[in-house]
Amino acid sequence: MSSLTMTYTRRNLVENIRTPTMFLTVALVPVGVMVFFVVPFIGQDAVAITSATATLVVFGVLMACVGHFSVAVAAQRESAWGSYLRTLPGGITPQMLGYLLVGLVIVAAAIIPILLVAGLFTAASAPAPRVLLAAGALLIAVVTFTLLGLAMGYLMSLRAAVIANSIGFLPLAVAGGMFFDEADTPEIIGQIAPFVPTRGATDLVLVALTGESVGPLSLVMLAVWIVIFAGLTVWGHRRDQVRRFD
């Protein structure tokens, strides 16, 4: 199983390197937002820039996970090669583990530039125990958005997944209040944000990193969304299996 997993991982990684659009997008967009719209204004405010860095890291994870998994799974479903892979005796498990490992590489491409900019050019800081807690919280965000990407990949055609990936992460980020200061958040965003998974993931990381107090509703809804996304992923995979191979 481990040998098969690494084989799929190498193949998927090489394929992404040959067409590095995803790497470039997830690496440049979040760090570009930080460099041009965050650092010049609050770069020397330690509290504000630390919170902003955490928010942009979650935004990068959102882009990386949804973008990678939705398009990769939808493309495999519609390809003859993907149909062939499903007939192999190894089953779906090593293939999915390969996707997950490559997804972690893309997540690293998204968050490492943000952390480097924050560490080298701003006053952002946090105690080491808080950073470790935030890393654990970020893993939950990775799981959440990975499940969202997988569900999209299994439930959408490749064309629909590409379109949804191109524009879908922005409404999720805006609805979750990721681009607004707490004092300047529009009323409608403040009302709907606790029910959006991006807000729950952001709040969880902020609580772990800064100790900020947040409403419990967003964290409860995050757990609900994880269950929903997991259910949609399993259902989508089984539906696809029945339609194509049974």
Side-chain angles (χ1 to χ4, degrees), residues 2-132:
S2 61
S3 176
L4 282 174
T5 298
M6 295 311 299
T7 299
Y8 284 117
T9 300
R10 286 194 298 270
R11 177 192 175 275
N12 293 334
L13 190 58
V14 168
E15 185 175 346
N16 279 274
I17 292 174
R18 286 175 177 171
T19 53
T21 305
M22 178 59 62
F23 281 103
L24 294 177
T25 300
V26 301
L28 296 179
V29 172
V31 78
V33 171
M34 185 168 189
V35 169
F36 293 107
F37 299 103
V38 177
V39 173
F41 301 100
I42 59 172
Q44 300 311 312
D45 185 334
V47 174
I49 192 62
T50 301
S51 297
T53 299
T55 300
L56 283 172
V57 165
V58 176
F59 178 64
V61 169
L62 170 67
M63 287 187 61
C65 292
V66 173
H68 170 66
F69 292 108
S70 62
V71 175
V73 171
Q76 180 171 303
R77 287 175 54 235
E78 296 189 6
S79 69
W81 175 250
S83 299
Y84 168 71
L85 289 178
R86 291 217 185 186
T87 66
L88 297 180
I92 194 68
T93 301
Q95 299 176 40
M96 297 311 301
L97 290 175
Y99 278 128
L100 289 172
L101 292 175
V102 174
L104 290 177
V105 174
I106 296 177
V107 166
I111 66 175
I112 288 176
I114 299 172
L115 297 177
L116 288 175
V117 170
L120 296 175
F121 303 108
T122 75
S125 64
R130 286 286 180 184
V131 173
L132 292 176

Side-chain angles (χ1 to χ4, degrees), residues 179-193:
F179 298 147
F180 300 100
D181 184 79
E182 184 176 356
D184 301 325
T185 302
E187 182 178 355
I188 186 172
I189 297 297
Q191 292 175 350
I192 67 175

